C-alpha cells in the first residue's frame, strides 16, 4: 500500500502530525494520503500518562478545541509540592518554585481520552487510521538505507514461529516519508537510530518508569483541580523519583509514582515502592474509602535536551517520545510531542508538494532547533543531571536555582552537564546492597502485581511467539542471578519475569510470562546485561487502558 506519509504510532505525536498534514492539504486544495498504524486494539488503549496537560500545542493545532469537545474539562485550580518523610511532610510554598513548575492554564485529564479524540479528528479529515496493526519491521531501500516503509499486521504465527490456520503475512506500507512515533524506547526507532547513527553525538537517553492507578473516591473527598506532587520518601536521597496525585473528572484521582531508572540497588522494586508510598498519611487521606479502577506502567524519556538524537533520516523522521521531549521538572511531554509531530508534518508536506520523496527532512531538524520545544528543554537541561550527581536535596535545589536564573534573566547558564552512562550501566552488583523487605499489600491501599495486571485489561494471544526475547538464554541464571540477584523479577511492574527453583533443590530457571506484559519496556532499558529485547507482539495485544 502506497501513501505520501506513513506514521507508526497513534499517540499524541503521530495523530498531531497526521492532522497537520491534512489541515495543510485541505487549506491548499491538495490531496495528501496519510496512514496511521497503532498496535493497540483501539486508539488510546496503550496511552498512559499522569496527566496535567499544557494545551499550548493543542491551541495551535485546533484553536477551537473547546468548541470541538476536546476532553480537557478540569482546569488546575490548586498546586501543591510536598517533600515527604516516613510519616511527616513539608509543603514547599509554591511562590518559591520557578514559574515553569506551576500549572496555571493547564488541565487535568486522561491523555488516553484526549488521544481518542485526536483520532476522531484525524479520521474526520480523511486520515486512514489502523488500530490493531503492529509495525514489526522496517522496509529498507538497499543499499542506501533509506526507510521506504514498514511491515504491519502480521497475524497467526505460533510459538515456534510457524504459520497457523489464521496466518496473515502482513502488509508493506510504503511512504514517501515515514514518521516513527512509537513512544519511549520504540523497537523500530532503535533500529533506525542504530542504522543511521542518529544518537551517536547525543548523550545516552535516560528513562524513568511511571506507575499509575486510577481511583474513584467519595464525593466529599473530591477536590477537582487539585495537583499534588511530591519527592522524598519512600526513596532514599540518591534514588531519584517522585509522585503525582490529581483530582479530576467524575470523582477520579489519578495517582502515580515515577522512579528514575538510573537507580543503583538491584533489589529495588519500583512497583513495591509505589504501593508503599500510598500508605503515607499525606497520600492515604485522598484514597481512603475509594475504589481502585485501573492500573498501568510505562517508561518515560528523561534525558531531555542533551539526549535528543538527530531527528531526520533518509525517508523519515523521529517524532514525540521516540526522540524524547519530556520536560522532567515540569513532568510534562505531551505538548512537546504534539508540536514535534506538527513540525515534521510541515516539513513533509512541503516536500511532497514539491515532488520530493525519500530524502532527509532537514527542514524538520531546523524547525525543531528554532522552536519553543527546544527552548523549553534547553532551559531545564541540567535538572536531571543535578539530581543524578548530587542527590534529591542538593540536586533539586541546584535545578530550582538554575531555573529561577533562566526565568529572571531570560538567559541560560553556559554549561551543559552530561548524563554519562545508560540506566542499565547504573545498576550495581547485589554484593554492594541489602535486600529490601517490602510490606505485604493490605488489599485496600496497596496491592500485588497480578491483581494490578488484571485491572490493566492486559491480554496477548497465548500461542504467539514471546515478544520478549533473550539475546543469550544463559545470561539470566548464569550472569544476572549471581551478580545482580536477577533484577528483572523486581523492576518489571507486571510479574513477567520469575526465577523458579524446583522443590527439593536443583538448578533455578528463568521464566518469562509474556502474557502479563503491559508494554512498559523497562526490561529493554534496565537489564544490566542488555540481554532482553522488547519487540512488538501481534497487533491488538497488551493492555487496554480506560480513562488513563
Amino acid at each position: 500500500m502506497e501513501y505520501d506519509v506513513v506514521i507508526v504510532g497513534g499517540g499524541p505525536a503521530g495523530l498531531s502530525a497526521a492532522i497537520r498534514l491534512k489541515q495543510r492539504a485541505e487549506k491548499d486544495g491538495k490531496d495528501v494520503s496519510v496512514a496511521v498504524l497503532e498496535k493497540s486494539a483501539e486508539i488510546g488503549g496503550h496511552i498512559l500518562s499522569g496527566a496535567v496537560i499544557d494545551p499550548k500545542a493543542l491551541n495551535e493545532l485546533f484553536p477551537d478545541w473547546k468548541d470541538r469537545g476536546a476532553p480537557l474539562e478540569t482546569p488546575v485550580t490548586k498546586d501543591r509540592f510536598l517533600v515527604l518523610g516516613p510519616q511527616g511532610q513539608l509543603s514547599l510554598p509554591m511562590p518559591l518554585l520557578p514559574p515553569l513548575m506551576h500549572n496555571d492554564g493547564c488541565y487535568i485529564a486522561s491523555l488516553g481520552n484526549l488521544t481518542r479524540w485526536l483520532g476522531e479528528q484525524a479520521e474526520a479529515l480523511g486520515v486512514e487510521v489502523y488500530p490493531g496493526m503492529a509495525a514489526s519491521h522496517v522496509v529498507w531501500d538497499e543499499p542506501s538505507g533509506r526507510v521506504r516503509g514498514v511491515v504491519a499486521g502480521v497475524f497467526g504465527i505460533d510459538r515456534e514461529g510457524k504459520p497457523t490456520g489464521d496466518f496473515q503475512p502482513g502488509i508493506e506500507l510504503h511512504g514517501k516519508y515515514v514518521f516513527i512515533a512509537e513512544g519511549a524506547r520504540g523497537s523500530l526507532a532503535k533500529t533506525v537510530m542504530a542504522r543511521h547513527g542518529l544518537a551517536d553525538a547525543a548523550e545516552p537517553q535516560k528513562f524513568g518508569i511511571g506507575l499509575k492507578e486510577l481511583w474513584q473516591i467519595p464525593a466529599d473527598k473530591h477536590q477537582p483541580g487539585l495537583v499534588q506532587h511530591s519527592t522524598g520518601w519512600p526513596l532514599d536521597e540518591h534514588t531519584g523519583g517522585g509522585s503525582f496525585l490529581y483530582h479530576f473528572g467524575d470523582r477520579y484521582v489519578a495517582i502515580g509514582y515515577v522512579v528514575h531508572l538510573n537507580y543503583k540497588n538491584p533489589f529495588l522494586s519500583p512497583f513495591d515502592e509505589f504501593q508503599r508510598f500510598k500508605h503515607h498519611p499525606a497520600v492515604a487521606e485522598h484514597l481512603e474509602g475509594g475504589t481502585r479502577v485501573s492500573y498501568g506502567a510505562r517508561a518515560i524519556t528523561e534525558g531531555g535536551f542533551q539526549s535528543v538524537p538527530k531527528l531526520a533520516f533518509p525517508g523519515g523522521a523521529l517524532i514525540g517520545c521516540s526522540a524524547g521531549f519530556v520536560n522532567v521538572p515540569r513532568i510534562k511531554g505531551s505538548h512537546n510531542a504534539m508540536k514535534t509531530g506538527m513540525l515534521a508534518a510541515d516539513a513533509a508536506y512541503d516536500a511532497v508538494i514539491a515532488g520530493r520523496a525519500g530524502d532527509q527532512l532537514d527542514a524538520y531538524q531546523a524547525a525543531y532547533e528554532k522552536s519553543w520545544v527546544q527552548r523549553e528543554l534547553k532551559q531545564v537541561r541540567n535538572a536531571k543531571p543535578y539530581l543524578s550527581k548530587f542527590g534529591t536535596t542538593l540536586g533539586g535545589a541546584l535545578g530550582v536555582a538554575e531555573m529561577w536564573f533562566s526565568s529572571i534573566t531570560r538567559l541560560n547558564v553556559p554549561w551543559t552537564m552530561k548524563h554519562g552512562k545508560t540506566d542499565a550501566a547504573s545498576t550495581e552488583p547485589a554484593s554492594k546492597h541489602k535486600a529490601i523487605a517490602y510490606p505485604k499489600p493490605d488489599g485496600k491501599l496497596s496491592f500485588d502485581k497480578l491483581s494490578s495486571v488484571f485491572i490493566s485489561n492486559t491480554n496477548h494471544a497465548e500461542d504467539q511467539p514471546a515478544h520478549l526475547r533473550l539475546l543469550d538464554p544463559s545470561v539470566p541464571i548464569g550472569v544476572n542471578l549471581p551478580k545482580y540477584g536477577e533484577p528483572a523479577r523486581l523492576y518489571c511492574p507486571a510479574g513477567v519475569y520469575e526465577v523458579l527453583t524446583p522443590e527439593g533443590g536443583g538448578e533455578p530457571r528463568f521464566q518469562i510470562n509474556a502474557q502479563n506484559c503491559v508494554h512498559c519496556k523497562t526490561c529493554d532499558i534496565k537489564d544490566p546485561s542488555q540481554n532482553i529485547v522488547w519487540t512488538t507482539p501481534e497487533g491488538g495485544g497488551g493492555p487496554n487502558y480506560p480513562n488513563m
Side-chain angles (χ1 to χ4, degrees), residues 62 132-133 156 161 189 237 242 300 333 352 378 381-382 397 477 480 498:
F62 288 114
M133 292 284 280
E237 176 68 16
I300 306 163
V352 169
K378 191 172 185 179
R381 67 194 184 282
N382 291 324
I477 301 301
N480 284 356
E498 294 182 281

Side-chain angles (χ1 to χ4, degrees), residues 147-488:
V147 174
R148 188 179 179 190
V150 295
V151 177
V154 179
F155 291 96
I157 302 291
D158 68 16
R159 290 178 184 271
E160 308 301 322
K162 299 176 181 177
T164 68
D166 299 322
F167 174 67
Q168 296 179 33
I171 304 168
E172 283 195 14
L173 291 96
H174 296 170
K176 294 175 182 175
Y177 299 97
V178 177
F179 291 174
I180 306 297
E182 300 168 298
R185 196 71 168 194
S187 53
L188 298 192
K190 283 175 60 179
T191 302
V192 173
M193 283 194 283
R195 174 81 186 254
H196 290 289
L198 301 182
D200 289 356
E203 281 290 293
Q205 185 60 266
K206 307 295 285 183
F207 298 89
I209 177 174
L211 304 109
K212 177 183 176 181
E213 292 175 352
L214 187 67
W215 287 65
Q216 197 162 38
I217 63 172
D220 61 347
K221 286 193 172 186
H222 197 228
Q223 305 174 58
L226 172 64
V227 166
Q228 178 174 298
H229 293 117
S230 79
T231 188
W233 188 88
L235 300 178
D236 63 38
E237 176 68 16
H238 293 283
T239 303
S243 79
F244 60 85
L245 188 151
Y246 308 144
H247 287 243
F248 76 109
D250 183 18
R251 297 184 289 113
Y252 287 131
V253 171
I255 182 169
Y257 208 81
V258 176
V259 177
H260 300 174
L261 287 177
N262 61 352
Y263 64 81
K264 298 176 181 179
N265 186 351
F267 295 113
L268 187 143
S269 165
F271 175 88
D272 291 298
E273 297 291 350
F274 175 37
Q275 299 306 313
R276 178 160 62 172
F277 154 79
K278 287 183 292 176
H279 285 273
H280 193 284
V283 179
E285 64 180 1
H286 294 270
L287 304 178
E288 286 167 345
T291 302
R292 191 173 69 144
V293 176
S294 189
Y295 163 82
R298 187 70 174 92
I300 306 163
T301 55
E302 294 186 339
F305 174 79
Q306 52 270 63
S307 297
V308 174
K310 291 182 180 178
L311 301 177
F313 51 84
L318 300 174
I319 62 176
C321 281
S322 285
F325 297 110
V326 170
N327 182 320
V328 171
R330 293 195 73 195
I331 322 174
K332 292 178 183 61
S334 60
H335 63 303
N336 288 340
M338 292 176 66
K339 179 62 174 177
T340 56
M342 294 155 64
L343 294 174
D346 284 336
Y349 177 80
D350 291 342
V352 169
I353 295 304
R356 290 160 40 206
D359 58 339
Q360 191 159 299
L361 292 171
D362 293 326
Y364 167 43
Q365 181 75 42
Y368 161 71
E369 292 172 0
K370 295 177 181 177
S371 71
W372 51 257
V373 176
Q374 201 221 43
R375 288 196 299 273
E376 181 179 310
L377 294 181
K378 191 172 185 179
Q379 184 180 358
V380 302
R381 67 194 184 282
N382 291 324
K384 167 77 173 177
Y386 282 147
L387 292 171
S388 301
K389 186 177 177 78
F390 299 110
T392 299
T393 302
L394 179 56
L398 289 170
V400 166
E402 185 173 314
M403 285 183 274
W404 266 120
F405 172 82
S406 297
S407 297
I408 293 169
T409 66
R410 306 295 178 184
L411 300 172
N412 291 312
V413 296
W415 61 85
T416 298
M417 296 184 67
K418 296 183 177 181
H419 296 305
K421 57 186 175 182
T422 66
D423 294 328
S426 299
T427 312
E428 292 182 345
S431 59
K432 291 188 175 184
H433 298 273
K434 294 181 179 179
I436 302 172
Y438 289 106
K440 290 184 178 180
D442 66 357
K444 296 177 181 178
L445 287 176
S446 51
F447 305 88
D448 62 21
K449 286 184 180 179
L450 293 185
S451 66
S452 300
V453 171
F454 179 77
I455 62 169
S456 72
N457 303 305
T458 296
N459 183 59
H460 295 89
E462 289 188 12
D463 197 36
Q464 66 177 291
H467 63 280
L468 301 158
R469 300 175 185 172
L470 302 178
L471 297 177
D472 182 345
S474 70
V475 165
I477 301 301
V479 177
N480 284 356
L481 185 59
K483 187 172 182 180
Y484 302 103
E486 187 40 271

Side-chain angles (χ1 to χ4, degrees), residues 22-43:
K22 283 295 192 178
Q23 286 175 333
R24 292 280 310 270
E26 186 178 75
K27 182 180 178 181
D28 295 344
K30 304 289 186 180
D31 184 24
V32 173
S33 57
V34 184
V36 174
L37 305 173
E38 168 54 42
K39 65 183 174 66
S40 174
E42 64 164 348
I43 292 295

